[in-house]
Amino acid sequence: MNRQKEKRRRCRLLLTGLMLLALGTTACGTSGGDPSTAKPKPRIKVSVYDRVNVPSSEGSIVSNKITRWINEAGPVNVEFVPVLRTQSEQKLNGLFAAGEAPDLIMEYAPQIKDTLIDQGLLRPIDDMIEQYSTTYKERLQRYPILRKAGTGEDGRLYQFGRINETVPMRAAFIRTDWLERLQLDIPQTTEELFQVAKAFTEQDPDGNGKRDTYGIALAGTPGVVIDEMFGLIYPDYVVRDGELVHGWDNIEAVTAFKKRVYDEGLADREFWNDKNGYRARQDFLRGRIGIYMDQFNVPTAFYNDFYMRLKRNVPDARLTVIPYPVTPVGQFNPVFVNPVQMTGVVNAATRNPKAVMQYVDFAVSELFMKTMYFGFAGIHHTVAPDGCPKLTGMEKWRKEFNYGVGDFGMLTSPTLAGRCYFGTEKLDEKEPLQREVQQMFELNSSYVNFSLETAGPTHAEQMPRLPQDLQGILNQITGVVGTDGDLWLKAILTPNYSPGEARKEAESLWEQAGGKKVDEWYRNFYAHDRDQAIMTKDIYQIFREQRAAQGK
């Protein structure tokens, strides 16, 4: 073998070894090159939500099949920094205070990111995109709405984002087998909902001869959905008679409903101590609750984490979704998934903005999206004759990908790749239980009534950014007078303290804190500047367009 052929052979071996061992890549040509000069991949830190849901066989949220693939296939080596989903603000504040914040921070909550921007802890990303990006730069050009949504008050771009499938985010579920046993109809109003919950509590709907069931859940996501039914979502403003007003009427009404449920013993009387709703969820999955509300925007997650568990525990249980009922303050559609969602920001102290941009470009790529969505080719999915990836087995994908696909894929935009990537496509309609989830998912979307408002004038993440001083007022007082604040909880739990009395005290505290200035700012925004933001009508239009793309 001559010297030139030997160099070619060594180059092929070197490239294969580097790819397999994820030690980086180097360019080799027939002119040779010393392998020892190959540069290692740059290193960055990226935050990831820790939901404490990784199967023990898969490792941890920072070390598993997904993270290993990201570091093997990607252009940089990533050290993932865990952030408890329920404590992200506290964790991030602590990391910044210690000088240990990640280079790239993945976070949904606008108020957290806005505060970091105000504090000068995040850097603008315009220059990074211009100098180092290919994929994300192209996406910004194709979808300028991403730039609009990610731009700060100073006119500079601070946030990376994605385009989502926008569907109702949550749903209200009811045990239809219990309805049939007690000869009850689907509730159409909150009064009927209360009466059904009362019957589910008192009339032995499971037929076991014991009074061991609850009609409805109040803790965790169910409490959030009940708020939505009454038109409420952070920061508690509602559209009334063409104006944006503070939803005091709505908060008083939903508190009165919850208090009545509590007083009658139709829900767990310790719901207030079930902070994340875990106990309520377990009670429903064990067949003890008749009306429950949960996330329903990702059909596979619902199937794997919820429906399968219910059917294993209670094989005869039958569910359906119901429209949000008419309340004393009106009827509302569910909140939708944010169609244009900002999810990534960059630490102002990062030493390698180029590497951060390289990772972002990788994380928005079709390869990354397809892998997060369907797993590894030949292992978790194959390609069907229609060109769409199809899971080879839901259970294997669930165990090895389901726990992390959403949080590692916070920059992916699956539906931009076509019909194969809409949520229900991952389910197999030939499997009875998966088909039932598909049908409920479609039913939930079919309930959308475009003549109604959603809770709030838009998704909470799309609400306009308050001036810093007004945001400070809102942050200071929300925990006391906001929809689920301390005063309203006191009204639910205290026999001689009514929702009306709580309202008087809440409005007084709000005014003392300067809240009237917040009210006036939001009112003026809605009156004069709402066309500059993504509002409910825009979300409805995107929902229509995406359903049309699916032939619906």
Side-chain angles (χ1 to χ4, degrees), residues 130-147:
E130 183 60 33
Q131 294 178 45
Y132 308 124
S133 178
T134 54
T135 310
Y136 195 78
K137 182 190 293 185
E138 181 181 313
R139 182 150 297 171
L140 276 180
Q141 292 168 349
R142 186 177 176 189
Y143 300 98
I145 197 169
L146 286 168
R147 181 177 293 278

Side-chain angles (χ1 to χ4, degrees), residues 13-156:
L13 289 174
L14 173 62
L15 285 172
T16 301
L18 289 173
M19 286 187 290
L20 290 174
L21 296 174
L23 294 177
T25 58
T26 186
C28 288
T30 56
S31 60
D34 185 352
S36 65
T37 64
K39 293 183 179 180
K41 293 180 183 180
R43 291 182 172 274
I44 63 171
K45 292 182 179 181
V46 178
S47 70
V48 62
Y49 286 135
D50 185 358
R51 300 177 191 266
V52 198
N53 64 343
V54 182
S56 58
S57 60
E58 294 304 301
S60 68
I61 195 61
V62 298
S63 179
N64 51 66
K65 284 184 176 68
I66 298 174
T67 61
R68 287 192 289 275
W69 177 82
I70 289 172
N71 279 311
E72 290 168 1
V76 300
N77 281 325
V78 181
E79 177 186 339
F80 286 98
V81 178
V83 175
L84 278 176
R85 181 65 184 97
T86 55
Q87 299 177 17
S88 61
E89 185 169 15
Q90 302 93 307
K91 176 69 172 183
L92 290 172
N93 286 341
L95 289 170
F96 272 105
E100 298 175 355
D103 299 281
L104 179 66
I105 296 131
M106 306 306 300
E107 174 59 52
Y108 291 122
Q111 65 271 26
I112 295 176
K113 294 178 289 186
D114 289 345
T115 300
L116 294 175
I117 292 171
D118 289 339
Q119 294 172 342
L121 296 174
L122 302 180
R123 62 161 289 164
I125 57 177
D126 309 75
D127 63 326
M128 293 170 53
I129 296 169
E130 183 60 33
Q131 294 178 45
Y132 308 124
S133 178
T134 54
T135 310
Y136 195 78
K137 182 190 293 185
E138 181 181 313
R139 182 150 297 171
L140 276 180
Q141 292 168 349
R142 186 177 176 189
Y143 300 98
I145 197 169
L146 286 168
R147 181 177 293 278
K148 176 180 177 180
T151 297
E153 291 294 306
D154 59 4
R156 294 187 290 181

Side-chain angles (χ1 to χ4, degrees), residues 250-538:
N250 304 60
I251 303 174
E252 182 180 356
V254 75
T255 304
F257 177 82
K258 292 177 181 177
K259 183 177 182 68
R260 193 176 172 204
V261 167
Y262 178 81
D263 287 345
E264 293 284 336
L266 310 186
D268 180 3
R269 290 186 63 83
E270 296 292 318
F271 82 91
W272 55 273
N273 203 30
D274 185 13
K275 299 300 184 185
N276 59 6
Y278 176 80
R279 188 169 64 244
R281 183 182 177 90
Q282 294 307 113
D283 280 344
F284 181 81
L285 295 177
R286 291 168 183 154
R288 295 191 63 207
I289 297 177
I291 303 167
Y292 189 81
M293 301 81 168
D294 206 2
Q295 293 287 120
F296 199 35
N297 59 304
V298 182
T300 49
F302 178 83
Y303 170 80
N304 285 307
D305 299 337
F306 190 91
Y307 199 54
M308 284 295 292
R309 295 184 186 182
L310 173 66
K311 298 297 281 188
R312 278 196 296 265
N313 294 332
V314 193
D316 295 333
R318 286 184 287 115
L319 288 186
T320 193
V321 294
I322 64 173
Y324 282 11
V326 178
T327 79
V329 289
Q331 186 177 21
F332 303 87
N333 286 321
V335 168
F336 282 67
V337 173
N338 186 357
V340 185
Q341 188 174 40
M342 296 296 104
T343 55
V345 290
V346 181
N347 187 344
T350 185
R351 296 180 178 179
N352 198 338
K354 180 179 180 180
V356 174
M357 194 67 247
Q358 288 175 314
Y359 175 76
V360 170
D361 271 0
F362 178 55
V364 302
S365 70
E366 186 168 350
L367 170 64
F368 193 100
M369 177 274 296
K370 185 176 181 180
T371 303
M372 292 299 106
Y373 213 60
F374 285 102
F376 302 140
I379 298 175
H380 301 99
H381 75 266
T382 57
V383 179
D386 64 0
C388 291
K390 296 294 181 184
L391 293 180
T392 55
M394 178 64 76
E395 181 60 24
K396 183 174 179 61
W397 181 88
R398 181 199 67 78
K399 180 180 178 181
E400 298 183 0
F401 268 82
N402 185 55
Y403 63 85
V405 58
D407 295 327
F408 288 107
M410 285 173 65
L411 287 167
T412 61
S413 303
T415 56
L416 299 186
R419 65 177 182 82
C420 302
Y421 294 89
F422 285 92
T424 56
E425 294 299 319
K426 202 182 295 181
L427 296 173
D428 186 351
E429 63 180 10
K430 296 177 182 177
E431 294 289 335
L433 296 184
Q434 294 185 40
R435 184 170 62 251
E436 290 172 15
V437 172
Q438 284 180 321
Q439 292 169 346
M440 285 190 285
F441 190 84
E442 176 60 26
L443 187 61
N444 202 41
S445 288
S446 74
Y447 289 146
V448 173
N449 181 346
F450 296 113
S451 68
L452 300 177
E453 293 286 345
T454 59
T458 184
H459 193 285
E461 294 173 10
Q462 294 293 351
M463 285 293 283
R465 185 183 176 192
L466 285 167
Q468 190 172 352
D469 59 330
L470 300 185
Q471 185 65 52
I473 293 171
L474 189 61
N475 292 346
Q476 169 194 349
I477 200 69
T478 291
V480 179
V481 306
T483 300
D484 295 306
D486 295 341
L487 276 179
W488 303 105
L489 179 60
K490 176 184 174 183
I492 295 170
L493 302 181
T494 306
N496 298 317
Y497 185 66
S498 72
E501 290 172 304
R503 175 177 179 168
K504 289 180 182 177
E505 189 172 351
E507 288 196 68
S508 175
L509 290 172
W510 176 252
E511 189 165 352
Q512 291 173 33
K516 291 292 186 181
K517 291 185 289 185
V518 180
D519 293 342
E520 184 64 14
W521 192 92
Y522 275 128
R523 190 193 67 77
N524 284 329
F525 157 77
Y526 192 78
H528 305 294
D529 300 317
R530 65 178 180 267
D531 289 342
Q532 298 177 16
I534 297 170
M535 305 304 288
T536 295
K537 65 180 179 62
D538 304 306

Side-chain angles (χ1 to χ4, degrees), residues 154-327:
D154 59 4
R156 294 187 290 181
L157 185 63
Y158 282 91
Q159 300 189 57
F160 298 110
R162 64 179 179 180
I163 306 295
N164 285 322
E165 178 181 4
T166 187
V167 292
M169 186 179 296
R170 291 174 273 263
F173 298 90
I174 196 165
R175 288 282 298 271
T176 54
D177 53 320
W178 286 14
L179 287 173
E180 290 174 7
R181 182 174 287 119
L182 300 181
Q183 299 183 335
L184 299 169
D185 295 326
I186 295 288
Q188 303 294 318
T189 67
T190 48
E191 176 60 32
E192 292 176 3
L193 189 73
F194 175 85
Q195 295 300 335
V196 169
K198 187 174 178 66
F200 282 173
T201 304
E202 299 174 351
Q203 297 181 25
D204 190 23
D206 57 0
N208 69 353
K210 302 176 182 178
R211 183 166 173 168
D212 59 354
T213 56
Y214 291 119
I216 194 168
L218 292 179
T221 302
V224 172
V225 172
I226 293 172
D227 294 341
E228 284 184 18
M229 289 178 179
F230 284 76
L232 292 163
I233 192 171
Y234 178 88
D236 300 334
Y237 288 84
V238 300
V239 178
R240 184 172 299 129
D241 299 328
E243 287 193 334
L244 192 62
V245 299
H246 204 125
W248 296 117
D249 291 345
N250 304 60
I251 303 174
E252 182 180 356
V254 75
T255 304
F257 177 82
K258 292 177 181 177
K259 183 177 182 68
R260 193 176 172 204
V261 167
Y262 178 81
D263 287 345
E264 293 284 336
L266 310 186
D268 180 3
R269 290 186 63 83
E270 296 292 318
F271 82 91
W272 55 273
N273 203 30
D274 185 13
K275 299 300 184 185
N276 59 6
Y278 176 80
R279 188 169 64 244
R281 183 182 177 90
Q282 294 307 113
D283 280 344
F284 181 81
L285 295 177
R286 291 168 183 154
R288 295 191 63 207
I289 297 177
I291 303 167
Y292 189 81
M293 301 81 168
D294 206 2
Q295 293 287 120
F296 199 35
N297 59 304
V298 182
T300 49
F302 178 83
Y303 170 80
N304 285 307
D305 299 337
F306 190 91
Y307 199 54
M308 284 295 292
R309 295 184 186 182
L310 173 66
K311 298 297 281 188
R312 278 196 296 265
N313 294 332
V314 193
D316 295 333
R318 286 184 287 115
L319 288 186
T320 193
V321 294
I322 64 173
Y324 282 11
V326 178
T327 79

